[in-house]
Amino acid sequence: EIVLTQSPVTLSLSPGERATLSCRASQSVSAYLAWYQQKAGQAPRLLIHDASNRATGIPARFSGSGSGTDFTLTISSLEPEDFAVYYCQQRSTWPLTFGGGTKVEIK
Amino acid sequence: QLQLQESGPGLVKPSETLSLTCTVSGGSISNSNYYWGWIRQPPGKGPEWIGSINYSGSTFYNPSLRGRVTIFVDTSNNHFSLSLTSVTPADTAVYYCARPKQLAVGGCFDLWGQGTWVTVSS
């Protein structure tokens, strides 16, 4: 199975700062990578699909890039509601797999 | 709009079978060839995909569950269900059902149920 490794595990930032999250795949997933945001007690929310496409209703401050094995989620300027856990997921190959997550916390 | 709702027991004894149902409202499972999914998330960990099924009963399962999982669909009642046998405390998790964004086999999930907590304990 394809293993997704996310870094850092925790990112401590202040509102207004830029957040850069990484997801590395153990083998190429082409552009078939998604990003989710999850807040406590809630289901994951799809942010980005196919590496760089924002899902419906997702603000423009969220952007995704990358292909192959290295991917990045960027939040250009953190809003208070953006402090949460973020996961990546690949859909290139069965079984579908998720990364271990990056927690973006308030510094 | 389309909504998903999980239901089932919140407590299952070790070695028994976990059974959950996902009821789809606001639309028909049979309308499009989505591969509806089950995903679980143990406390403090990332999500784990369990398996997916389409309206005709075609399934894909996570090999990590070693043949313990069955997913089946009931189009007449517009729901799909999960059966996980021989459970252990390691199966304790929030269980979600979800619909993928893509019609193609293998997708990312843009519509989720609220999740249901299942504890495996005697």
Side-chain angles (χ1 to χ4, degrees):
Chain A
E1 74 175 42
I2 295 176
V3 176
L4 299 178
T5 303
Q6 292 187 241
S7 61
V9 173
T10 305
L11 196 52
S12 298
L13 295 168
S14 300
E17 289 193 295
R18 182 184 188 90
T20 303
L21 288 66
S22 174
C23 178
R24 177 163 290 178
S26 59
Q27 63 190 77
S28 176
V29 299
S30 186
Y32 298 125
L33 189 103
W35 290 94
Y36 298 85
Q37 176 193 69
Q38 188 176 34
K39 298 180 180 178
Q42 297 182 16
R45 173 194 181 198
L46 181 67
L47 298 175
I48 301 287
H49 64 93
D50 296 337
S52 60
N53 298 285
R54 273 190 304 277
T56 303
I58 301 304
R61 63 181 181 273
F62 292 93
S63 64
S65 64
S67 67
T69 60
D70 290 293
F71 298 86
T72 300
L73 174 69
T74 301
I75 310 171
S76 60
S77 178
L78 283 163
E79 296 288 337
E81 62 268 28
D82 298 337
F83 292 92
V85 182
Y86 293 82
Y87 296 99
C88 56
Q89 179 231 323
Q90 65 83 20
R91 70 179 188 93
S92 172
T93 307
W94 300 103
L96 308 179
T97 52
F98 290 81
T102 291
K103 180 180 181 180
V104 179
E105 65 176 23
I106 299 176
K107 186 175 182 180
Chain B
Q1 73 270 22
L2 200 70
Q3 292 184 319
L4 285 70
Q5 177 69 58
E6 306 88 351
S7 59
L11 180 64
V12 182
K13 290 182 168 53
S15 80
E16 295 189 346
T17 297
L18 181 162
S19 297
L20 297 173
T21 293
C22 180
T23 300
V24 179
S25 60
S28 172
I29 281 183
S30 305
N31 272 356
S32 300
N33 194 28
Y34 288 111
Y35 273 79
W36 305 81
W38 282 102
I39 296 137
R40 69 180 182 179
Q41 187 169 24
K45 295 187 178 181
E48 177 186 30
W49 173 74
I50 299 170
S52 297
I53 189 166
N54 74 350
Y55 71 93
S56 68
S58 172
T59 53
F60 290 85
Y61 298 131
N62 194 326
S64 70
L65 292 165
R66 297 185 301 274
R68 296 192 295 132
V69 62
T70 304
I71 298 174
F72 46 98
V73 64
D74 181 345
T75 54
S76 60
N77 288 300
N78 218 37
H79 67 228
F80 60 104
S81 300
L82 168 69
S83 174
L84 183 65
T85 62
S86 305
V87 297
T88 71
D91 295 309
T92 294
V94 177
Y95 284 75
Y96 296 99
C97 57
R99 189 204 70 181
K101 179 174 179 61
Q102 297 84 0
L103 287 172
V105 172
C108 57
F109 298 95
D110 66 344
L111 184 63
W112 295 65
Q114 65 183 28
T116 187
W117 181 262
V118 178
T119 301
V120 178
S121 174
S122 54

